[in-house]
Amino acid sequence: MEQYIIRGGQPLAGEVVINGAKNAALGIVAAAVMTDEPVIIENLPDVWDINVLLDAIEDAGAVVERTDRHTVCIKGTLNTCLIDNENMRRMRGSYYLLGALLGRKKQAYVPLPGGCNIGSRPIEQHIKGFSALGAQVEISHGMINATAESLHGSHIYFDLVSVGATINVMLGAVLAEGQTIIENCAREPHIVDVANFLNSMGANIKGAGTDVIRIKGVESLHGSNYSIIPDQIEAGTFMLAAAATRGDVVIKNVIPKHLEAISAKLIEIGIDVEEEDDMVRVNAQNRPGYTQVKTQAYPGFPTDMQPQMTTLLSLGTGTSIVTETIFENRFKYVDELRKMGADIKVEGNSAVIRGVEGLTGATISTPDLRAGAALVIAGLVAEGTTVVEGVEYIERGYEQFEVKLRGLGARIEKTQINTERKVVKKKKQATTKAK
Ligand code: EPZ
């Protein structure tokens, strides 16, 4: 177990380069096994979730060659459709192998997905889509088993907007016979990226990024050389870290269009945001103001930025309200912010945030990936030292998080929890003996 030790109060300044989008990379790595031909993926983030998925496809027979930290060559020479890598139960993106294996091999046997504990996160929309394409899907012993004699195009109408179901059913449909129309689709940038990647492999997908996606099944997919889009949420996280610390940070390798909802909210609360082709600059000289935020599917304010926004608004000059409309249990981190002096009351799916002048350092624990990033932001701002436990959650989705923050002037170190606690205990024993 590892922890971050943060000495707060230092405004962030300088430049940071954003990595490839984790939530696009998960779908793209899964899609890569839909051909035996070499697929070269560039701008791949070096984070736990992606590395586990690469291990899982290698265990299933794929050839995975990492040519550098952010580039991999995959050949989908699979010898099984059974994915039983233990770590796969702990992450969400594993279930994309369901769509990829079913789409290519007409069978898939994949662990039920894990992922951040932010709600019940059922997968009935995925199953609805696969069934409409002609598959039989069963869940037993913690595994999902999907098989089909053949897959045929269908007209699918999702009951709710789901990023995962949109990507998964797209994977299942690209090699099906005939046309598939999927309605009420999610429109996130990472869905467009997965669709563009599949089209680079010879698929025929139109409409990704809108709420209706049309897919004409093709006979087979071929190799490709593809670079993943920048991570919208990593970029947003650094934007809010700059704002919270009253810093001046240039965030490079971004697509400003993907950040519009975040930039608009920052500007609304008095933070300077400048955009150029592939960078944004956040320059915050004063306390943030206050506002209302409601998380929505893209292009609305992203739910994956909700904890970071709540943390920023906890320092606001007035009372703000943040409403979470996507997940039913995504405010667990608020108790940790309260330990640092934040004045936040969670009522149903809203947090009422009365801004305070400042926060104070404390030992806090990370309930999930994005909440972990938000608690680090709180530590960067807080007076004194903050210990953030549960770093492994954060490293699931942020590459070299503390290294990048140190590059912006943050006083943050990563240490092992056990050594730290032993040292503290020894010091305490020594002082009690001395008395
Ligand atoms: C993806 O999760 C992301 N994860 C999440 O990011 C992100 O928060 C979420 O999309 C929303 O943008 C990955 O891409 C790996 P959904 P996903 O299906 O696909 C409900 C992060 O921090 N739902 O769009 O699981 C579901 O319970 C992670 O990187 C059903 O009810 O999200 C949720 O309430 C956290 N039935 C809502 O829909 C279904 O069949 C949206 O879920 C599917 C979803």
Side-chain angles (χ1 to χ4, degrees):
M1 289 277 279
E2 293 176 307
Q3 62 191 10
Y4 291 141
I5 313 281
I6 306 168
R7 282 186 301 118
Q10 182 71 31
L12 298 183
E15 293 187 356
V16 64
V17 178
I18 299 304
N19 286 112
K22 164 181 83 84
N23 292 344
L26 289 165
I28 287 169
V29 166
V33 303
M34 297 184 79
T35 178
D36 286 352
E37 295 182 16
V39 170
I40 296 171
I41 303 169
E42 297 172 350
N43 202 31
L44 189 72
D46 180 13
V47 294
W48 190 84
D49 274 15
I50 300 301
N51 297 333
V52 165
L53 190 57
L54 290 171
D55 289 347
I57 62 172
E58 198 166 33
D59 291 347
V63 175
V64 177
E65 287 160 24
R66 200 118 195 197
T67 42
D68 68 37
R69 182 169 199 159
H70 300 125
T71 307
V72 70
C73 179
I74 296 171
K75 290 180 198 149
T77 51
L78 301 174
N79 52 38
T80 177
C81 292
L82 165 61
I83 304 292
D84 62 357
N85 174 307
E86 188 44 41
N87 280 327
M88 293 282 276
R89 298 177 194 285
R90 292 171 52 197
M91 54 176 278
R92 192 105 199 126
S94 53
Y95 59 14
Y96 292 142
L97 284 176
L98 199 55
L101 294 174
L102 178 67
R104 183 186 180 194
K105 300 279 188 179
K106 310 295 182 286
Q107 58 174 314
Y109 197 46
V110 176
L112 273 167
C116 291
N117 182 12
I118 50 180
S120 60
R121 305 183 81 177
I123 60 167
E124 85 288 341
Q125 298 303 308
H126 302 238
I127 295 171
K128 172 179 181 170
F130 293 141
S131 306
L133 295 172
Q136 288 73 47
V137 185
E138 282 168 14
I139 293 176
S140 64
H141 306 297
M143 299 288 286
I144 313 164
N145 188 6
T147 54
E149 286 299 312
S150 65
L151 293 172
H152 53 73
S154 180
H155 193 155
I156 300 160
Y157 203 106
F158 284 137
D159 300 324
L160 49 88
V161 174
S162 161
V163 168
T166 302
I167 290 176
N168 231 345
V169 174
M170 209 162 51
L171 292 167
V174 286
L175 295 172
E177 290 152 35
Q179 167 157 310
T180 296
I181 299 173
I182 315 172
E183 308 225 27
N184 200 18
C185 296
R187 298 182 281 169
E188 272 68 7
H190 29 288
I191 289 165
V192 177
D193 211 27
V194 175
N196 289 341
F197 172 66
L198 285 164
N199 284 340
S200 78
M201 293 173 76
N204 184 335
I205 303 170
K206 291 185 172 50
T210 75
D211 61 352
V212 182
I213 293 177
R214 296 170 194 280
I215 299 167
K216 284 199 179 122
V218 295
E219 282 296 310
S220 64
L221 298 175
H222 53 69
S224 171
N225 189 330
Y226 193 81
S227 182
I228 292 173
I229 57 168
D231 193 311
Q232 164 203 35
I233 304 302
E234 185 192 16
T237 302
F238 278 98
M239 291 170 75
L240 267 66
T245 59
R246 301 194 199 177
D248 184 355
V249 176
V250 173
I251 296 117
K252 305 184 85 167
N253 186 35
V254 303
I255 298 174
K257 171 87 182 141
H258 295 166
L259 305 171
E260 279 179 348
I262 300 162
S263 301
K265 274 299 165 189
L266 286 178
I267 290 164
E268 198 178 303
I269 57 177
I271 310 287
D272 260 359
V273 180
E274 294 165 35
E275 287 181 9
E276 285 181 23
D277 291 351
D278 64 350
M279 52 79 81
V280 289
R281 177 182 175 190
V282 174
N283 186 0
Q285 301 310 316
N286 309 305
R287 266 177 84 179
Y290 54 94
T291 183
Q292 285 69 46
V293 180
K294 188 177 269 194
T295 64
Q296 299 284 353
Y298 189 84
F301 190 88
T303 175
D304 290 349
M305 287 299 302
Q306 179 259 87
Q308 302 92 313
M309 194 65 182
T310 300
T311 301
L312 174 61
L313 292 172
S314 74
L315 297 156
T317 53
T319 298
S320 300
I321 299 178
V322 173
T323 301
E324 172 59 56
T325 70
I326 308 291
F327 290 104
E328 64 269 29
N329 189 14
R330 200 166 199 172
F331 283 116
K332 289 201 297 288
Y333 64 93
V334 167
D335 290 339
E336 302 302 299
L337 286 179
R338 279 205 204 94
K339 292 176 187 171
M340 303 176 75
D343 182 349
I344 306 175
K345 192 170 174 348
V346 176
E347 293 168 358
N349 66 343
S350 289
V352 180
I353 308 156
R354 292 160 57 97
V356 294
E357 287 273 347
L359 300 174
T360 54
T363 295
I364 48 181
S365 62
T366 297
D368 58 70
L369 165 57
R370 304 302 176 185
L375 294 173
V376 169
I377 292 174
L380 294 172
V381 175
E383 177 265 322
T385 299
T386 297
V387 177
V388 179
E389 298 180 337
V391 167
E392 62 280 0
Y393 279 107
I394 299 169
E395 294 187 338
R396 288 188 46 199
Y398 291 93
E399 181 182 323
Q400 294 200 297
F401 194 43
E402 85 283 1
V403 174
K404 290 182 179 180
L405 287 168
R406 265 203 305 275
L408 294 171
R411 296 171 298 207
I412 178 171
E413 297 299 330
K414 181 163 73 170
T415 67
Q416 290 293 334
I417 284 184
N418 46 12
T419 48
E420 276 299 303
R421 281 201 174 133
K422 277 183 196 143
V423 167
V424 169
K425 272 190 190 147
K426 278 183 185 151
K427 274 184 188 157
K428 277 186 183 156
Q429 283 157 4
T431 45
T432 44
K433 274 185 188 149
K435 282 175 190 158

